[in-house]
Amino acid sequence: MLALIAACTVLSASALLQPPRRTRYASALRAGAGPPQYDKIDATLVANEVVGRATNLLRLESDAPLDYKAGHVLALEVEKDDEWLRGPYTVTRATEKTFDVVIRVCGNKSEVMAASPVGSRWRFGGKFHVPILEGIADRASRVVCLATGTGFGPVLGFAEEAMAHSDLKLTVLAGFREAEDVCCKDAVQRLCVLHPERFECAYVISSTDGRISSDTALASIADIADAETHFHLIGNGAMVNEWKEGLAKAGVPEDFVTTETYFNHKAEAD
């Protein structure tokens, strides 16, 4: 469908035998009256996988039962030299005992997290933001997700939930700076193979294709969007604000647009 880099390719037979994980995800913390408060829960790092250039997927097992879904936001803490480093992260997928987050390795905190060994002890807490699936308009039959960078992680978790628990059709446009930055390819391929009539995904590489708001990207979305299409925007504030403004000008109802901004919150639409 998309005149970009198609993400859906054929999986091997062995990969198809692995059932998709029924999981849930979360996102970033922001509070107008100071840092949000949360109870700290202990957890153990049970997986630490490189899923793209400078991008890791972390899986933690909680000491307490969980109730996270794709789009929730939690606070994650890791200890380094007797100091707890903490920050907000969007859960990529979760079960009753584990949750995944996708992190970009780009500073001291994320470097510590990416270097942490399996078995190390962590802390987390809080449950912020509305899960992606719960925010989709009741009248929607299709969802278009536009994501940049690690915002692609929770979108995949939402896609897994949507394929398992709804009849929604889902189109994902994921923006990355370079082709090497594309992450979580195996999860994308699994969704493409298991749900070819309901799930499609394409990558926009900004170094060669231009921005995720390029004419080519806009045309590809215009080809499939209709009055029952919900838009979920997640990632860089410049992208989120630009698309949000454009959709409003196009007459898309407010309840058919949901957003989550990771940084550049005040960036103006270009």
Side-chain angles (χ1 to χ4, degrees):
M1 168 292 256
L2 297 171
L4 302 164
I5 300 178
C8 297
T9 58
V10 178
L11 287 178
S12 65
S14 60
L16 285 173
L17 293 176
Q18 301 174 14
R21 288 170 289 195
R22 301 288 196 264
T23 52
R24 303 162 184 169
Y25 305 64
S27 167
L29 309 176
R30 299 188 67 207
Q37 301 299 308
Y38 56 90
D39 294 328
K40 302 180 190 298
I41 302 172
D42 293 324
T44 301
L45 184 67
V46 296
N48 186 349
E49 177 186 0
V50 176
V51 292
R53 182 171 63 180
T55 306
N56 285 43
L57 185 146
L58 309 175
R59 175 168 297 162
L60 289 105
E61 184 174 278
S62 171
D63 287 3
L66 300 176
D67 184 24
Y68 286 120
K69 296 180 181 179
H72 274 132
V73 178
L74 55 73
L76 189 59
E77 304 184 10
V78 62
E79 189 175 16
K80 174 68 174 179
D81 298 330
D82 297 324
E83 177 186 1
W84 285 94
L85 308 178
R86 63 180 59 85
Y89 290 90
T90 302
V91 177
T92 295
R93 56 174 62 89
T95 67
E96 293 181 353
K97 286 290 292 181
T98 67
F99 64 88
D100 297 357
V101 296
V102 174
I103 66 168
R104 180 72 173 177
V105 185
C106 58
N108 178 60
K109 178 180 61 183
S110 57
E111 289 173 356
V112 171
M113 290 181 169
S116 296
V118 169
S120 57
R121 296 290 284 172
W122 295 45
R123 300 191 309 207
F124 72 96
K127 185 167 68 172
F128 306 87
H129 211 69
V130 176
I132 298 175
L133 186 57
E134 291 184 17
I136 303 303
D138 292 339
R139 308 184 304 282
S141 61
R142 177 186 292 276
V143 179
V144 171
C145 289
L146 297 116
T148 57
T150 55
F152 191 41
V155 164
L156 287 178
F158 157 64
E160 292 169 351
E161 288 183 347
M163 294 302 103
H165 304 298
S166 78
D167 296 323
L168 291 168
K169 293 182 178 180
L170 181 59
T171 297
V172 178
L173 210 58
F176 298 92
R177 184 177 299 276
E178 305 283 351
E180 293 80 7
D181 298 322
V182 175
C183 64
C184 305
K185 292 180 180 178
D186 289 347
V188 173
Q189 292 175 346
R190 182 175 292 112
L191 284 166
C192 289
V193 171
L194 293 176
H195 308 282
E197 302 300 320
R198 296 176 54 207
F199 177 84
E200 56 188 352
C201 177
Y203 306 130
V204 181
I205 308 303
S206 62
S207 61
T208 56
D209 302 327
R211 297 187 303 182
I212 202 170
S213 57
S214 68
D215 290 343
T216 302
L218 291 171
S220 68
I221 297 303
D223 285 342
I224 54 94
D226 57 24
E228 295 182 349
T229 299
H230 184 107
F231 293 85
H232 183 69
L233 318 173
I234 179 170
N236 187 328
M239 181 277 291
V240 170
N241 294 340
E242 185 173 23
W243 272 90
K244 186 177 179 181
E245 181 177 311
L247 292 170
K249 289 180 177 179
V252 177
E254 287 188 8
D255 63 331
F256 272 71
V257 181
T258 47
T259 67
E260 182 179 352
T261 305
Y262 282 1
F263 56 93
N264 288 348
H265 293 82
K266 296 182 179 180
E268 295 183 0
D270 182 5

